[in-house]
Amino acid sequence: MSHPKQWDKYYKMMKQGQIKGIDVMKILDLKKTTFYKLIKEYESYERGLKYL
């Protein structure tokens, strides 16, 4: 699954507590399920793991 263009920016803002997950979903026009799949995939990639 490919991440939206500005995913890194908003993901980092969310993790730093500047915005909430619901805000990221609205800004990037994501459904809840897609949002959480992207987080899982992104965090697995960040840890050097491969998520299928």
Side-chain angles (χ1 to χ4, degrees), residues 2-51:
S2 64
H3 291 82
K5 265 187 172 182
Q6 303 233 327
W7 173 261
D8 289 338
K9 173 186 173 181
Y10 292 113
Y11 174 81
K12 288 175 185 172
M13 288 174 70
M14 181 188 72
K15 290 306 248 182
Q16 293 170 354
Q18 296 174 357
I19 58 175
K20 295 182 180 186
I22 191 74
D23 299 321
V24 177
M25 286 184 253
K26 287 178 183 177
I27 293 166
L28 299 177
D29 193 31
L30 298 171
K31 293 184 180 181
K32 193 178 203 179
T33 305
T34 303
F35 174 70
Y36 286 107
K37 282 182 183 178
L38 288 171
I39 287 176
K40 189 171 184 177
E41 183 180 275
Y42 187 79
E43 289 177 353
S44 292
Y45 176 77
E46 287 290 303
R47 287 189 298 252
L49 302 174
K50 197 172 194 177
Y51 176 73

